[in-house]
Amino acid sequence: MGMCLPCLGGAADEVVVTPDPDARRRQLAEAAEKRQKETTYRGVKNPEAVERKKKKQEEMEKQEMTGSVSGGGGLRWQVG
């Protein structure tokens, strides 16, 4: 027959202490962010380049919006 009490068999060393709720919440949030980044950049070799390109695109859209609102609404010609 085996022993069931942790204090008799030396199993007290195997007891895992759970972290306080704030630390646990922080760990869960970090794990969720990590999973989200992994799914967002799945199959992408260079995620930093994707972020730079995305920010550049957002800035261009923002400039277009501010330019069309205050720019008089005329056509802009570019020589390239």
Side-chain angles (χ1 to χ4, degrees):
M1 297 206 135
M3 294 192 281
C4 297
L5 301 174
C7 61
L8 298 178
D13 298 335
E14 298 175 9
V15 175
V16 177
V17 178
T18 57
D20 61 291
D22 292 333
R24 181 74 176 149
R25 192 174 301 119
R26 184 174 24 85
Q27 289 174 344
L28 290 172
E30 289 172 358
E33 288 176 13
K34 183 178 178 183
R35 283 192 307 270
Q36 186 177 13
K37 284 183 180 181
E38 288 175 354
T39 58
T40 301
Y41 297 118
R42 182 173 294 165
V44 177
K45 291 183 180 180
N46 191 354
E48 291 83 17
V50 173
E51 282 296 321
R52 286 193 304 266
K53 189 173 181 180
K54 185 177 178 181
K55 286 181 182 180
K56 185 177 180 181
Q57 181 69 27
E58 289 174 357
E59 288 175 8
M60 289 177 63
E61 289 176 359
K62 188 176 180 181
Q63 287 178 355
E64 288 177 3
M65 293 297 288
T66 57
S68 65
V69 171
S70 63
L75 294 175
R76 295 186 309 203
W77 292 88
Q78 295 181 352
V79 177

